[in-house]
Amino acid sequence: METKPRGKFASKLGIILASAGSAVGLGNIWRFPTETGENGGAAFLLIYICCILLLGLPVMLSEFMIGRHAHANAATAFEKLAPGKKQWHWIGRLGVVTGTMILSFYNVVAGWTANYSVCALGNGFNRMSESGDPKVFTDYFNSFVTGTYEPVAYLIGFMLLTHIIVVLGVEKGIERFSKLMMPLLFILLLVLAGCALTMEGAAEGLRFLFQPDFSKIDPGVVLSAMGQAFFSLSLGIGCLCTYASYFKEDVNLGKTAFSVAGIDTMVAVIAGIIIFPAVFSVPGMEPTEGPKLVFVALPHIFKDVFGGLPLLSYLVPFLFYFLLVLASLTSTISMHEVITAYISEVHHLSRKAAATLVTTICIVLSTLCSLSLGAGSEWTIGGMMLFDFFDYATAKWMLPVGGFFIAIFAGWFLNRQILWDELTNKGSIRFYGFKAFLFLLRFVAPLGILLIFLNELGWLAF
Ligand code: PHE
Protein backbone atom coordinates (compact mmCIF):
# COMPACT_ATOMS: atom_id res chain seq x y z
CA MET A 1 0.00 0.00 0.00
CA GLU A 2 2.81 2.40 0.84
CA THR A 3 4.89 3.76 -1.95
CA LYS A 4 7.59 5.61 -0.07
CA PRO A 5 9.29 5.49 3.33
CA ARG A 6 7.37 7.44 5.96
CA GLY A 7 9.04 10.14 8.03
CA LYS A 8 9.62 9.74 11.75
CA PHE A 9 9.58 12.24 14.56
CA ALA A 10 13.13 12.73 15.76
CA SER A 11 12.66 13.24 19.50
CA LYS A 12 10.22 12.31 22.23
CA LEU A 13 9.72 15.90 23.27
CA GLY A 14 9.04 16.66 19.63
CA ILE A 15 6.31 14.03 19.61
CA ILE A 16 4.57 15.39 22.66
CA LEU A 17 4.86 18.95 21.45
CA ALA A 18 3.67 18.17 17.93
CA SER A 19 0.69 16.16 19.19
CA ALA A 20 -0.04 18.84 21.77
CA GLY A 21 0.41 21.35 18.98
CA SER A 22 -2.39 19.64 17.11
CA ALA A 23 -4.55 19.53 20.23
CA VAL A 24 -3.86 23.03 21.51
CA GLY A 25 -5.31 25.69 19.30
CA LEU A 26 -8.45 27.69 18.78
CA GLY A 27 -10.30 24.80 20.40
CA ASN A 28 -8.79 25.76 23.75
CA ILE A 29 -8.44 29.48 23.48
CA TRP A 30 -11.46 30.40 21.38
CA ARG A 31 -13.95 27.51 21.44
CA PHE A 32 -13.56 26.45 25.08
CA PRO A 33 -14.46 29.86 26.57
CA THR A 34 -17.26 30.20 24.01
CA GLU A 35 -18.80 26.85 24.95
CA THR A 36 -18.20 27.33 28.68
CA GLY A 37 -19.84 30.75 28.53
CA GLU A 38 -22.85 29.49 26.62
CA ASN A 39 -23.31 26.36 28.72
CA GLY A 40 -23.32 27.75 32.22
CA GLY A 41 -19.67 27.89 33.35
CA ALA A 42 -18.32 25.60 36.06
CA ALA A 43 -20.88 22.81 35.65
CA PHE A 44 -19.84 22.57 32.00
CA LEU A 45 -16.17 22.48 32.98
CA LEU A 46 -16.82 19.61 35.35
CA ILE A 47 -18.59 17.51 32.73
CA TYR A 48 -15.93 18.44 30.21
CA ILE A 49 -13.19 17.07 32.47
CA CYS A 50 -15.18 13.84 32.99
CA CYS A 51 -15.51 13.52 29.20
CA ILE A 52 -11.75 13.99 28.76
CA LEU A 53 -10.96 11.27 31.31
CA LEU A 54 -13.64 8.70 30.50
CA LEU A 55 -14.16 9.18 26.78
CA GLY A 56 -11.26 11.21 25.43
CA LEU A 57 -8.30 9.35 26.90
CA PRO A 58 -9.40 5.86 25.80
CA VAL A 59 -10.11 7.12 22.29
CA MET A 60 -6.80 8.96 22.17
CA LEU A 61 -4.90 5.85 23.19
CA SER A 62 -6.83 3.86 20.59
CA GLU A 63 -5.80 6.30 17.87
CA PHE A 64 -2.19 6.08 19.03
CA MET A 65 -2.23 2.28 19.04
CA ILE A 66 -3.93 1.97 15.67
CA GLY A 67 -1.70 4.56 14.00
CA ARG A 68 1.60 3.25 15.29
CA HIS A 69 0.74 -0.38 14.77
CA ALA A 70 -0.39 0.12 11.19
CA HIS A 71 2.23 2.73 10.25
CA ALA A 72 -0.27 4.34 7.96
CA ASN A 73 -2.71 7.23 7.71
CA ALA A 74 -6.10 6.80 9.33
CA ALA A 75 -7.94 5.38 6.33
CA THR A 76 -5.21 2.95 5.28
CA ALA A 77 -4.67 1.90 8.90
CA PHE A 78 -8.14 0.39 9.09
CA GLU A 79 -7.63 -1.36 5.77
CA LYS A 80 -4.36 -2.83 7.01
CA LEU A 81 -5.64 -3.91 10.41
CA ALA A 82 -8.99 -5.21 9.17
CA PRO A 83 -8.30 -6.56 5.69
CA GLY A 84 -11.42 -7.60 3.85
CA LYS A 85 -13.67 -6.03 6.50
CA LYS A 86 -14.90 -3.15 4.44
CA GLN A 87 -17.22 -1.68 7.08
CA TRP A 88 -14.26 -0.44 9.17
CA HIS A 89 -12.79 1.45 6.28
CA TRP A 90 -15.59 3.97 6.63
CA ILE A 91 -14.12 5.24 9.90
CA GLY A 92 -11.14 6.60 8.00
CA ARG A 93 -13.30 8.07 5.28
CA LEU A 94 -15.66 9.67 7.80
CA GLY A 95 -12.58 11.20 9.41
CA VAL A 96 -11.49 12.70 6.13
CA VAL A 97 -14.91 14.29 5.54
CA THR A 98 -15.14 15.56 9.12
CA GLY A 99 -11.59 16.90 8.95
CA THR A 100 -12.34 18.79 5.75
CA MET A 101 -15.42 20.38 7.32
CA ILE A 102 -13.59 21.34 10.51
CA LEU A 103 -10.64 22.74 8.64
CA SER A 104 -13.04 24.84 6.58
CA PHE A 105 -14.65 26.72 9.46
CA TYR A 106 -11.55 26.62 11.67
CA ASN A 107 -9.59 28.33 8.96
CA VAL A 108 -12.05 31.24 9.02
CA VAL A 109 -11.37 31.86 12.71
CA ALA A 110 -7.65 31.37 12.13
CA GLY A 111 -7.93 34.15 9.54
CA TRP A 112 -9.47 36.39 12.21
CA THR A 113 -6.48 35.78 14.48
CA ALA A 114 -4.18 36.72 11.61
CA ASN A 115 -6.11 39.93 11.06
CA TYR A 116 -5.92 40.72 14.79
CA SER A 117 -2.16 40.25 14.83
CA VAL A 118 -1.78 42.54 11.84
CA CYS A 119 -4.04 45.07 13.55
CA ALA A 120 -1.92 44.84 16.72
CA LEU A 121 1.25 45.23 14.68
CA GLY A 122 -0.08 48.52 13.33
CA ASN A 123 -0.91 49.63 16.91
CA GLY A 124 -4.59 49.36 15.98
CA PHE A 125 -5.92 48.36 19.40
CA ASN A 126 -4.28 51.30 21.18
CA ARG A 127 -5.68 53.66 18.59
CA MET A 128 -9.13 52.14 18.96
CA SER A 129 -9.10 52.53 22.72
CA GLU A 130 -8.26 56.22 22.41
CA SER A 131 -11.78 56.78 21.12
CA GLY A 132 -13.04 56.05 24.65
CA ASP A 133 -16.07 54.24 23.23
CA PRO A 134 -16.60 51.06 25.29
CA LYS A 135 -18.10 49.29 22.29
CA VAL A 136 -15.19 49.97 19.98
CA PHE A 137 -13.77 46.43 20.15
CA THR A 138 -17.18 44.82 19.61
CA ASP A 139 -17.80 47.08 16.62
CA TYR A 140 -14.43 46.24 15.11
CA PHE A 141 -15.04 42.51 15.49
CA ASN A 142 -18.55 42.65 14.06
CA SER A 143 -17.59 44.75 11.09
CA PHE A 144 -14.55 42.59 10.28
CA VAL A 145 -16.14 39.16 10.46
CA THR A 146 -19.26 40.15 8.54
CA GLY A 147 -17.16 41.76 5.81
CA THR A 148 -16.67 40.25 2.37
CA TYR A 149 -13.17 40.67 0.96
CA GLU A 150 -11.02 41.14 4.03
CA PRO A 151 -11.88 37.99 6.00
CA VAL A 152 -11.73 35.97 2.79
CA ALA A 153 -8.29 37.34 1.95
CA TYR A 154 -7.07 36.37 5.42
CA LEU A 155 -8.48 32.87 5.26
CA ILE A 156 -6.89 32.29 1.87
CA GLY A 157 -3.56 33.51 3.23
CA PHE A 158 -3.86 31.21 6.23
CA MET A 159 -4.72 28.21 4.13
CA LEU A 160 -1.77 28.82 1.83
CA LEU A 161 0.56 29.05 4.81
CA THR A 162 -0.75 25.70 6.07
CA HIS A 163 -0.31 24.28 2.60
CA ILE A 164 3.34 25.28 2.37
CA ILE A 165 4.18 23.72 5.73
CA VAL A 166 2.36 20.47 4.92
CA VAL A 167 4.19 20.20 1.61
CA LEU A 168 7.53 20.65 3.39
CA GLY A 169 6.93 17.32 5.16
CA VAL A 170 6.78 15.82 8.61
CA GLU A 171 9.98 16.58 10.43
CA LYS A 172 11.05 19.77 8.83
CA GLY A 173 7.69 21.43 8.91
CA ILE A 174 5.76 20.32 11.92
CA GLU A 175 8.26 19.33 14.53
CA ARG A 176 10.66 22.21 14.30
CA PHE A 177 7.81 24.61 14.41
CA SER A 178 5.94 23.18 17.37
CA LYS A 179 9.02 22.83 19.51
CA LEU A 180 9.74 26.48 19.30
CA MET A 181 6.31 27.98 19.69
CA MET A 182 4.29 25.93 22.15
CA PRO A 183 6.29 26.81 25.27
CA LEU A 184 6.25 30.48 24.37
CA LEU A 185 2.47 30.48 24.05
CA PHE A 186 2.12 28.73 27.37
CA ILE A 187 4.21 31.33 29.17
CA LEU A 188 2.33 34.22 27.63
CA LEU A 189 -0.99 32.66 28.63
CA LEU A 190 0.20 32.39 32.23
CA VAL A 191 1.25 36.05 32.23
CA LEU A 192 -2.10 37.10 30.79
CA ALA A 193 -3.96 35.00 33.38
CA GLY A 194 -2.02 36.83 36.10
CA CYS A 195 -3.04 40.14 34.51
CA ALA A 196 -6.70 39.16 34.18
CA LEU A 197 -6.80 38.32 37.87
CA THR A 198 -6.06 41.96 38.73
CA MET A 199 -9.22 43.13 36.96
CA GLU A 200 -12.25 44.14 38.99
CA GLY A 201 -14.47 41.34 37.71
CA ALA A 202 -11.88 38.68 38.59
CA ALA A 203 -13.75 37.19 41.55
CA GLU A 204 -16.99 36.95 39.64
CA GLY A 205 -15.21 35.48 36.63
CA LEU A 206 -13.54 32.81 38.74
CA ARG A 207 -16.82 31.98 40.44
CA PHE A 208 -18.42 31.52 37.03
CA LEU A 209 -15.64 29.19 35.94
CA PHE A 210 -15.14 27.17 39.12
CA GLN A 211 -18.32 27.23 41.24
CA PRO A 212 -20.75 24.81 39.61
CA ASP A 213 -24.44 25.51 39.42
CA PHE A 214 -25.82 22.03 38.74
CA SER A 215 -29.22 23.35 37.74
CA LYS A 216 -27.57 24.49 34.50
CA ILE A 217 -26.95 20.93 33.32
CA ASP A 218 -29.22 19.61 30.59
CA PRO A 219 -28.71 17.13 27.72
CA GLY A 220 -27.47 19.91 25.44
CA VAL A 221 -24.78 20.92 27.95
CA VAL A 222 -23.55 17.34 28.19
CA LEU A 223 -23.48 16.97 24.39
CA SER A 224 -21.53 20.24 24.12
CA ALA A 225 -19.02 19.12 26.74
CA MET A 226 -18.44 15.83 24.95
CA GLY A 227 -18.08 17.61 21.61
CA GLN A 228 -15.64 20.09 23.10
CA ALA A 229 -13.56 17.25 24.58
CA PHE A 230 -13.25 15.53 21.19
CA PHE A 231 -12.65 18.76 19.35
CA SER A 232 -10.04 20.02 21.75
CA LEU A 233 -8.10 16.76 21.85
CA SER A 234 -8.25 16.45 18.04
CA LEU A 235 -10.02 13.09 18.37
CA GLY A 236 -12.36 11.18 16.13
CA ILE A 237 -10.92 11.92 12.69
CA GLY A 238 -7.78 9.84 12.91
CA CYS A 239 -5.59 12.90 13.28
CA LEU A 240 -3.60 11.48 16.19
CA CYS A 241 -3.66 8.15 14.38
CA THR A 242 -1.79 9.73 11.51
CA TYR A 243 0.64 11.40 13.92
CA ALA A 244 1.21 8.14 15.77
CA SER A 245 2.11 6.45 12.51
CA TYR A 246 5.23 8.62 12.63
CA PHE A 247 6.07 7.65 16.25
CA LYS A 248 9.11 5.48 16.90
CA GLU A 249 8.80 2.08 18.57
CA ASP A 250 10.07 3.22 21.98
CA VAL A 251 7.52 5.98 22.52
CA ASN A 252 5.44 5.39 25.65
CA LEU A 253 1.90 5.78 24.32
CA GLY A 254 0.21 5.94 27.72
CA LYS A 255 2.48 8.69 29.00
CA THR A 256 2.21 10.61 25.75
CA ALA A 257 -1.60 10.49 25.88
CA PHE A 258 -1.65 11.73 29.48
CA SER A 259 0.79 14.53 28.69
CA VAL A 260 -1.14 15.69 25.65
CA ALA A 261 -4.53 15.58 27.42
CA GLY A 262 -3.01 17.28 30.48
CA ILE A 263 -1.39 20.11 28.52
CA ASP A 264 -4.53 20.59 26.45
CA THR A 265 -6.85 20.80 29.45
CA MET A 266 -4.49 23.10 31.30
CA VAL A 267 -4.36 25.51 28.39
CA ALA A 268 -8.17 25.54 28.13
CA VAL A 269 -8.59 26.25 31.85
CA ILE A 270 -5.96 29.00 31.72
CA ALA A 271 -7.79 30.51 28.74
CA GLY A 272 -10.93 30.50 30.91
CA ILE A 273 -9.02 32.22 33.73
CA ILE A 274 -8.02 34.91 31.26
CA ILE A 275 -11.37 35.41 29.55
CA PHE A 276 -14.01 35.29 32.29
CA PRO A 277 -12.47 37.82 34.68
CA ALA A 278 -12.27 40.16 31.69
CA VAL A 279 -15.85 39.44 30.62
CA PHE A 280 -17.16 40.32 34.08
CA SER A 281 -15.04 43.49 34.17
CA VAL A 282 -16.40 44.98 30.98
CA PRO A 283 -19.77 46.69 31.46
CA GLY A 284 -22.45 45.16 29.31
CA MET A 285 -20.47 42.07 28.33
CA GLU A 286 -22.04 38.67 28.96
CA PRO A 287 -20.38 35.22 29.05
CA THR A 288 -22.98 34.00 26.57
CA GLU A 289 -21.75 36.21 23.76
CA GLY A 290 -20.30 33.29 21.81
CA PRO A 291 -17.54 33.41 19.22
CA LYS A 292 -16.71 37.06 19.79
CA LEU A 293 -15.78 36.55 23.47
CA VAL A 294 -12.05 36.11 22.97
CA PHE A 295 -11.79 38.74 20.29
CA VAL A 296 -13.53 41.37 22.40
CA ALA A 297 -12.55 40.49 25.97
CA LEU A 298 -8.81 40.34 25.33
CA PRO A 299 -8.41 43.82 23.86
CA HIS A 300 -10.13 45.02 27.04
CA ILE A 301 -7.49 43.27 29.17
CA PHE A 302 -4.76 44.82 27.06
CA LYS A 303 -6.31 48.25 27.46
CA ASP A 304 -7.02 48.00 31.19
CA VAL A 305 -3.79 46.34 32.29
CA PHE A 306 -1.21 47.66 29.85
CA GLY A 307 -2.93 50.87 28.70
CA GLY A 308 -0.50 53.23 30.44
CA LEU A 309 2.65 51.35 29.46
CA PRO A 310 3.66 52.38 25.94
CA LEU A 311 5.92 49.46 25.01
CA LEU A 312 3.87 46.69 26.61
CA SER A 313 0.55 48.01 25.35
CA TYR A 314 1.97 47.57 21.88
CA LEU A 315 3.92 44.37 22.32
CA VAL A 316 1.58 42.19 24.37
CA PRO A 317 -1.42 42.29 22.01
CA PHE A 318 0.81 41.61 19.05
CA LEU A 319 2.61 38.74 20.73
CA PHE A 320 -0.66 37.20 21.90
CA TYR A 321 -2.40 37.22 18.55
CA PHE A 322 0.76 36.16 16.77
CA LEU A 323 1.12 33.13 19.04
CA LEU A 324 -2.57 32.38 18.57
CA VAL A 325 -1.90 32.36 14.84
CA LEU A 326 0.87 29.85 15.39
CA ALA A 327 -1.25 27.69 17.71
CA SER A 328 -3.98 27.64 15.08
CA LEU A 329 -1.43 26.82 12.44
CA THR A 330 -0.18 23.71 14.25
CA SER A 331 -3.82 22.55 14.36
CA THR A 332 -4.67 23.37 10.74
CA ILE A 333 -1.47 21.56 9.72
CA SER A 334 -2.59 18.44 11.58
CA MET A 335 -6.01 18.44 9.95
CA HIS A 336 -4.56 19.11 6.53
CA GLU A 337 -2.03 16.33 7.11
CA VAL A 338 -4.80 13.76 7.79
CA ILE A 339 -6.57 14.57 4.56
CA THR A 340 -3.43 14.93 2.46
CA ALA A 341 -1.91 11.68 3.75
CA TYR A 342 -5.17 9.89 2.96
CA ILE A 343 -5.44 11.18 -0.58
CA SER A 344 -1.79 10.71 -1.42
CA GLU A 345 -1.50 7.18 0.01
CA VAL A 346 -4.88 5.81 -1.01
CA HIS A 347 -5.12 7.43 -4.42
CA HIS A 348 -1.38 7.32 -5.13
CA LEU A 349 -1.05 11.02 -5.77
CA SER A 350 2.14 12.91 -5.01
CA ARG A 351 2.09 14.72 -1.68
CA LYS A 352 2.15 18.03 -3.43
CA ALA A 353 -0.77 17.23 -5.73
CA ALA A 354 -2.83 15.83 -2.85
CA ALA A 355 -2.10 18.87 -0.69
CA THR A 356 -3.06 21.22 -3.53
CA LEU A 357 -6.39 19.47 -3.93
CA VAL A 358 -7.12 19.68 -0.20
CA THR A 359 -6.11 23.34 -0.07
CA THR A 360 -8.35 24.24 -3.00
CA ILE A 361 -11.42 22.47 -1.60
CA CYS A 362 -10.91 23.99 1.83
CA ILE A 363 -10.46 27.51 0.48
CA VAL A 364 -13.81 27.23 -1.33
CA LEU A 365 -15.64 25.84 1.72
CA SER A 366 -13.96 28.33 4.09
CA THR A 367 -15.00 31.21 1.87
CA LEU A 368 -18.62 30.03 1.97
CA CYS A 369 -18.43 29.69 5.77
CA SER A 370 -16.97 33.16 6.13
CA LEU A 371 -19.51 34.77 3.82
CA SER A 372 -22.32 33.04 5.71
CA LEU A 373 -21.58 35.38 8.61
CA GLY A 374 -22.37 38.44 6.51
CA ALA A 375 -23.47 38.65 2.91
CA GLY A 376 -24.60 35.02 2.80
CA SER A 377 -26.44 34.91 6.11
CA GLU A 378 -29.51 33.43 4.43
CA TRP A 379 -27.62 30.25 3.48
CA THR A 380 -28.81 28.18 6.39
CA ILE A 381 -28.95 24.47 7.11
CA GLY A 382 -31.40 23.38 9.80
CA GLY A 383 -31.82 27.03 10.76
CA MET A 384 -28.08 27.49 11.31
CA MET A 385 -25.70 29.65 9.33
CA LEU A 386 -23.23 27.58 7.33
CA PHE A 387 -20.40 28.47 9.72
CA ASP A 388 -22.39 27.43 12.78
CA PHE A 389 -23.67 24.33 11.06
CA PHE A 390 -20.17 23.11 10.22
CA ASP A 391 -19.11 23.67 13.82
CA TYR A 392 -22.22 22.01 15.27
CA ALA A 393 -22.31 18.99 12.95
CA THR A 394 -18.62 18.17 13.27
CA ALA A 395 -17.83 18.85 16.91
CA LYS A 396 -21.04 17.62 18.50
CA TRP A 397 -21.88 14.68 16.23
CA MET A 398 -19.28 13.61 13.70
CA LEU A 399 -16.22 13.60 15.98
CA PRO A 400 -17.93 11.61 18.74
CA VAL A 401 -19.34 9.19 16.14
CA GLY A 402 -15.80 8.72 14.81
CA GLY A 403 -14.52 8.29 18.38
CA PHE A 404 -17.25 5.74 19.12
CA PHE A 405 -16.21 3.52 16.22
CA ILE A 406 -12.51 3.95 16.93
CA ALA A 407 -13.09 2.78 20.52
CA ILE A 408 -15.19 -0.16 19.31
CA PHE A 409 -12.55 -1.08 16.77
CA ALA A 410 -9.66 -0.95 19.23
CA GLY A 411 -11.62 -2.50 22.12
CA TRP A 412 -13.58 -5.26 20.38
CA PHE A 413 -11.92 -5.94 17.08
CA LEU A 414 -8.18 -5.52 17.57
CA ASN A 415 -6.37 -8.45 19.07
CA ARG A 416 -5.66 -7.96 22.79
CA GLN A 417 -2.04 -8.86 22.20
CA ILE A 418 -1.69 -5.93 19.81
CA LEU A 419 -3.10 -3.57 22.45
CA TRP A 420 -0.77 -4.97 25.08
CA ASP A 421 2.26 -4.82 22.78
CA GLU A 422 1.55 -1.24 21.81
CA LEU A 423 0.95 -0.05 25.34
CA THR A 424 4.01 -1.80 26.79
CA ASN A 425 6.24 -1.57 23.72
CA LYS A 426 6.27 -5.36 23.51
CA GLY A 427 6.71 -5.79 27.23
CA SER A 428 9.68 -3.46 27.60
CA ILE A 429 7.83 -0.82 29.66
CA ARG A 430 5.10 -1.00 32.27
CA PHE A 431 1.49 -0.06 31.71
CA TYR A 432 -0.51 0.05 34.94
CA GLY A 433 -4.19 -0.84 34.98
CA PHE A 434 -4.48 -2.65 31.64
CA LYS A 435 -7.72 -4.33 32.73
CA ALA A 436 -9.24 -1.05 33.86
CA PHE A 437 -8.19 0.52 30.59
CA LEU A 438 -9.84 -2.30 28.63
CA PHE A 439 -13.02 -1.77 30.60
CA LEU A 440 -12.99 1.95 29.79
CA LEU A 441 -12.28 1.26 26.16
CA ARG A 442 -14.80 -1.52 25.61
CA PHE A 443 -17.70 -0.34 27.75
CA VAL A 444 -17.43 3.10 29.30
CA ALA A 445 -16.33 5.12 26.26
CA PRO A 446 -18.69 3.68 23.62
CA LEU A 447 -21.68 3.44 25.96
CA GLY A 448 -21.00 6.91 27.32
CA ILE A 449 -20.98 8.41 23.83
CA LEU A 450 -24.12 6.50 22.87
CA LEU A 451 -26.02 7.54 25.99
CA ILE A 452 -25.11 11.19 25.50
CA PHE A 453 -26.44 11.03 21.93
CA LEU A 454 -29.66 9.28 22.95
CA ASN A 455 -30.14 11.71 25.79
CA GLU A 456 -29.77 14.69 23.44
CA LEU A 457 -32.26 13.15 21.03
CA GLY A 458 -34.73 12.92 23.89
CA TRP A 459 -34.84 9.12 23.89
CA LEU A 460 -33.78 8.84 27.50
CA ALA A 461 -35.51 10.34 30.47
CA PHE A 462 -32.50 11.91 32.28
N1 PHE B 1 -7.80 20.32 18.64
C1 PHE B 1 -7.70 21.44 17.77
C2 PHE B 1 -7.88 22.69 18.61
O1 PHE B 1 -8.17 22.61 19.75
C3 PHE B 1 -8.68 21.37 16.65
C4 PHE B 1 -8.67 20.08 15.91
C5 PHE B 1 -9.80 19.28 15.89
C6 PHE B 1 -7.53 19.66 15.27
C7 PHE B 1 -9.81 18.07 15.26
C8 PHE B 1 -7.52 18.44 14.59
C9 PHE B 1 -8.66 17.66 14.60
O2 PHE B 1 -7.77 23.76 18.13
Side-chain angles (χ1 to χ4, degrees):
M1 196 71 67
E2 283 171 50
T3 50
K4 54 188 180 301
R6 302 172 61 83
K8 290 253 187 226
F9 283 115
S11 71
K12 286 189 193 162
L13 183 66
I15 285 165
I16 294 181
L17 289 181
S19 313
S22 160
V24 173
L26 292 170
N28 312 60
I29 296 162
W30 167 73
R31 202 174 184 283
F32 174 79
T34 303
E35 290 287 306
T36 308
E38 286 176 346
N39 288 293
F44 174 87
L45 175 61
L46 207 65
I47 303 175
Y48 172 71
I49 290 176
C50 294
C51 289
I52 295 269
L53 293 173
L54 300 177
L55 315 178
L57 271 173
V59 174
M60 186 186 283
L61 265 170
S62 305
E63 291 207 18
F64 280 171
M65 294 186 290
I66 294 169
R68 187 171 67 175
H69 191 76
H71 281 302
N73 71 76
T76 315
F78 290 103
E79 276 169 37
K80 270 188 162 179
L81 298 178
K85 298 251 177 2
K86 285 246 172 357
Q87 65 275 28
W88 294 113
H89 305 175
W90 284 97
I91 304 181
R93 293 186 197 124
L94 172 72
V96 168
V97 175
T98 313
T100 309
M101 285 171 73
I102 295 183
L103 185 53
S104 298
F105 83 84
Y106 196 96
N107 189 43
V108 174
V109 185
W112 301 348
T113 64
N115 171 272
Y116 269 59
S117 54
V118 170
C119 177
L121 191 65
N123 204 23
F125 294 108
N126 286 329
R127 264 189 279 117
M128 275 185 236
S129 36
E130 275 164 21
S131 76
D133 176 1
K135 281 184 67 239
V136 67
F137 299 127
T138 311
D139 292 344
Y140 178 76
F141 176 82
N142 287 341
S143 85
F144 176 72
V145 303
T146 56
T148 306
Y149 300 110
E150 244 194 312
V152 171
Y154 274 99
L155 71 85
I156 292 177
F158 207 93
M159 202 64 217
L160 292 179
L161 198 59
T162 307
H163 176 86
I164 292 169
I165 296 171
V166 169
V167 171
L168 280 183
V170 180
E171 270 192 14
K172 273 188 282 162
I174 307 175
E175 186 173 358
R176 202 186 293 163
F177 215 68
S178 311
K179 250 193 203 160
L180 205 68
M181 291 308 160
M182 293 290 303
L184 205 57
L185 176 67
F186 196 72
I187 293 168
L188 186 67
L189 286 174
L190 285 178
V191 171
L192 287 178
C195 294
L197 291 179
T198 65
M199 296 178 86
E200 59 181 301
E204 211 177 333
L206 290 182
R207 231 174 292 130
F208 180 78
L209 186 61
F210 293 120
Q211 207 174 76
D213 170 359
F214 292 105
S215 68
K216 297 258 170 69
I217 299 177
D218 64 24
V221 171
V222 182
L223 182 78
S224 302
M226 172 171 74
Q228 177 59 22
F230 278 87
F231 188 91
S232 194
L233 294 178
S234 308
L235 295 177
I237 65 168
C239 183
L240 295 182
C241 206
T242 305
Y243 268 46
S245 71
Y246 303 120
F247 289 1
K248 285 186 184 154
E249 300 311 321
D250 64 344
V251 171
N252 184 331
L253 297 186
K255 257 196 196 158
T256 307
F258 267 104
S259 312
V260 173
I263 293 174
D264 189 74
T265 308
M266 222 147 55
V267 172
V269 172
I270 295 171
I273 297 176
I274 298 173
I275 302 294
F276 291 110
V279 168
F280 286 100
S281 304
V282 179
M285 204 168 176
E286 297 289 333
T288 46
E289 281 180 41
K292 65 162 79 93
L293 223 52
V294 172
F295 291 95
V296 176
L298 269 153
H300 277 287
I301 302 186
F302 301 142
K303 183 181 103 189
D304 285 10
V305 179
F306 302 106
L309 312 162
L311 186 65
L312 287 181
S313 69
Y314 174 75
L315 240 123
V316 175
F318 171 67
L319 202 62
F320 175 77
Y321 285 113
F322 178 66
L323 288 174
L324 199 52
V325 164
L326 296 182
S328 316
L329 199 56
T330 48
S331 301
T332 53
I333 291 166
S334 73
M335 283 180 252
H336 201 300
E337 173 70 33
V338 174
I339 314 166
T340 299
Y342 172 83
I343 296 181
S344 83
E345 285 181 24
V346 173
H347 296 287
H348 306 293
L349 274 182
S350 74
R351 218 182 138 77
K352 210 168 171 182
T356 307
L357 188 68
V358 176
T359 302
T360 312
I361 293 174
C362 286
I363 285 180
V364 172
L365 290 176
S366 285
T367 303
L368 294 177
C369 279
S370 176
L371 293 179
S372 81
L373 297 172
S377 58
E378 72 280 6
W379 311 331
T380 55
I381 300 182
M384 276 179 254
M385 284 182 293
L386 206 59
F387 177 94
D388 292 335
F389 174 77
F390 269 36
D391 180 321
Y392 172 82
T394 53
K396 296 190 182 165
W397 295 92
M398 294 164 82
L399 292 181
V401 166
F404 173 84
F405 286 114
I406 289 171
I408 297 273
F409 181 80
W412 294 93
F413 184 82
L414 268 193
N415 188 323
R416 251 178 218 215
Q417 189 62 40
I418 295 183
L419 301 185
W420 175 252
D421 283 348
E422 285 300 327
L423 291 175
T424 62
N425 294 345
K426 300 210 167 75
S428 63
I429 52 170
R430 282 171 186 274
F431 182 85
Y432 296 103
F434 184 65
K435 284 227 170 85
F437 167 71
L438 269 188
F439 181 71
L440 272 184
L441 184 59
R442 303 181 74 171
F443 299 101
V444 177
L447 278 178
I449 297 171
L450 201 65
L451 289 179
I452 292 173
F453 279 154
L454 296 179
N455 196 25
E456 168 67 9
L457 293 171
W459 295 356
L460 294 178
F462 293 156

